[in-house]
Structures are given as structure tokens and as C-alpha cells.
Amino acid sequence: MSSDSRKPFAPSHFFTVCLTTFLIVFAVFFFYPFIFVIVNSFKPDSEIILNPIGFPKNFTFENYGKAWSEMNFPVAFLKTLFITVFGLLGIILTSSLAAYRLARTDNKISWILYGFFAFALVIPFQIIMVPIAVLSKNLNLMSVPGIVPMYWGLGCPTAIFMFHGFVKSVPKELEESASIDGAGEWYIFFNIVIPLLKTIIATIAVIDALWLWNDFLLPFIVIQEGTIQLAQMKFSGGQTLARYGPLTASLTLSSLPIIAFYLALQKYIIKGIAAGAVKG
């Protein structure tokens, strides 16, 4: 028998079992922090302090009632949802328009502007934190609606960088053909280009929604109250002892909506980022 007819290497059953076992153990370690929070949300504070890693002995829903009422959870939820939804819509709309024009304009100015956006990715938020606080006060933007445009500016550099590679992969012939048929630029962008970018749009939506929903520092600087993350501070201590039961319950309540959103769109994350890396 010639060497060319040999069968390709196939992993043994023992290797498969070992790999599966390793992945299961790794998954347990990965999910343990979330499981830890959920389990402790059903314990009184005294039991959490004495036995933080065990299952509840005195199972109670009292922590959820305290978190719901003391945080004024429905109001905090709606404010956080408002910031997340309108912040996300603004980031996607403005960054896709900017990336489309930069990708379709082949001159030095467009590449310089693209370089500025790319450079903004490496600027830590702590460097611009104080100027943002001063600017928000001078422009009377220290409110829930006022913080939304700030998220547009902070989120657009990453989104433009990701959109730019995808727009370059869209064949120009499609746009030229539509233009010959009488379609305008706005029609071409929203009816031809945008449908071809749905993978990267979903990817950016998931990444930025996680950021907007869970962000603490910018709301703390600008509006100082109202969002879920800021409302949770009352359980974390300060001048009094931390109340771990209501805190873990509030963390569980606040994480459920964004986890559901992530699970609905998570298949696009790897697909979009991998495709963007190849196309960029």
C-alpha cells in the first residue's frame, strides 16, 4: 500500500474524552462567578458571610424584593434602557455613514481622518475623563438624554474601524449599477450597502450594548444617579457595611436583559470579527 493511501490522522477516543472533560471543567470555572452571584442572591447576609460558596440553607426571595424597591428598579431599568438603545442607534448610524464615506473616498484627507479615528482607539478613557466632565457641565448635558451623544463620540472610533473593512468588501459595481438606474446616494446606502453589513452591525450591536448597559464610570461622572449600575452603589457599603444579599440580587436582575440580548445575537460576534479581520 502506498503512503498516499494512508488515512488522515483521527484523534483517539481517549484523547476526545480528555478534551471534552477539560472543556467541561473550563466551562464550570468560566460560569462560576455568575453561579456564585445567583446562589448568594437567595441567602441572607449572615449566611453569605459565614458560607459564601455553599448552597443556601435558608432559601429566601427577600433580597430581590429589597433590590427591586430600594433601587427603584423599574425607573433605573428604563433609564439604562434609554441610554443603551439610543446610544447604540447613534453609534451604528453615525459610524456606518462615516466609514462608508471614508472607504469610498480615496484621497489623503480620508486616510488622515481614518487615522485619527484609529488613533482614538488607544486613548484611555481616564485621560479624557476630566475634560468630559467639564464639557458636560458647560453644555448642560448632565442628564440621561445628555449622556447619549457622549457615548456616540466614545463608541464611534471602534465602530468606524470595524465598519471600514466591511464597506471595502462591498463591490462598487452594485452601487454603480444602482446609480445608473437613477438611485441616489442615500437610497444606495440604506437599501444596498446596509443590508450587506448586517453581520458587522449585529456584532457591533452586541459589543456596544454590553458596554453601554454595564458602564459605570461615565454615568457616575456625568449624571451621578439614575442608572442600574449607580443604583447598586447603595448596597456596596460606604459608611455602612455592604449588604451582599440585595447586591447579588440586583446584579442578577440587571444582568438578565443583556444576557438575553447577547444570547440572541452571539453567533454574529465571532463571524463578524473574523470576517472583518479578513476583509479589512
Side-chain angles (χ1 to χ4, degrees):
M1 182 181 294
S2 63
S3 60
D4 295 335
S5 62
R6 288 180 298 180
K7 294 183 179 179
F9 170 77
S12 65
H13 179 69
F14 176 77
F15 175 79
T16 303
V17 171
C18 291
L19 180 61
T20 303
T21 303
F22 170 78
L23 292 176
I24 292 174
V25 173
F26 183 78
V28 170
F29 277 103
F30 183 81
F31 283 107
Y32 178 76
F34 185 64
I35 298 172
F36 176 84
V37 171
I38 294 177
V39 170
N40 282 297
S41 68
F42 295 106
K43 298 179 185 178
D45 286 341
S46 58
E47 186 177 343
I48 295 175
I49 295 173
L50 295 174
N51 185 21
I53 62 174
F55 285 95
K57 295 180 179 179
N58 301 309
F59 197 89
T60 178
F61 285 96
E62 185 178 356
N63 293 326
Y64 285 91
K66 291 180 180 179
W68 186 275
S69 59
E70 294 185 30
M71 290 176 57
N72 197 2
F73 189 83
V75 175
F77 173 83
L78 290 176
K79 289 182 178 180
T80 307
L81 183 65
F82 177 90
I83 293 173
T84 303
V85 170
F86 287 97
L88 190 61
L89 290 176
I91 290 172
I92 291 176
L93 179 61
T94 56
S95 59
S96 61
L97 285 168
Y100 175 71
R101 179 51 59 192
L102 291 174
R104 288 294 185 258
T105 306
D106 190 13
N107 55 45
K108 291 183 178 180
I109 295 178
S110 65
W111 281 107
I112 291 174
L113 291 174
Y114 178 70
F116 276 118
F117 284 116
F119 176 74
L121 297 175
V122 302
I123 300 177
F125 176 76
Q126 289 76 8
I127 293 179
I128 60 175
M129 185 169 59
V130 174
I132 284 180
V134 175
L135 184 64
S136 63
K137 184 177 181 179
N138 292 338
L139 297 179
N140 295 320
L141 296 177
M142 302 184 73
S143 61
V144 171
I147 201 175
V148 172
M150 300 183 192
Y151 278 118
W152 297 351
L154 293 172
C156 276
T158 303
I160 289 174
F161 181 78
M162 298 177 69
F163 270 123
H164 192 269
F166 265 77
V167 171
K168 288 167 60 178
S169 71
V170 176
K172 292 183 180 180
E173 290 76 11
L174 295 176
E175 302 169 37
E176 294 172 354
S177 177
S179 179
I180 292 174
D181 292 337
E185 289 188 359
W186 291 103
Y187 181 90
I188 292 174
F189 178 76
F190 285 105
N191 292 276
I192 297 177
V193 177
I194 285 293
L196 298 176
L197 301 178
K198 60 183 180 180
T199 300
I200 192 61
I201 288 175
T203 303
I204 294 173
V206 171
I207 295 174
D208 284 347
L210 290 170
W211 163 52
L212 293 169
W213 183 269
N214 294 310
D215 189 35
F216 170 81
L217 192 54
L218 184 61
F220 180 72
I221 295 171
V222 176
I223 59 180
Q224 300 177 354
E225 63 179 359
T227 66
I228 291 176
Q229 292 70 29
L230 296 178
Q232 289 170 344
M233 288 181 61
K234 62 181 62 181
F235 302 128
S236 61
Q239 297 180 350
T240 60
L241 294 176
R243 300 162 61 193
Y244 297 110
L247 177 60
T248 53
S250 67
L251 292 172
T252 303
L253 288 173
S254 64
S255 62
L256 292 178
I258 199 64
I259 288 176
F261 180 76
Y262 172 81
L263 292 177
L265 297 178
Q266 59 88 23
K267 66 179 180 180
Y268 294 102
I269 294 180
I270 301 301
K271 183 189 300 184
I273 293 178
V278 174
K279 296 174 182 180

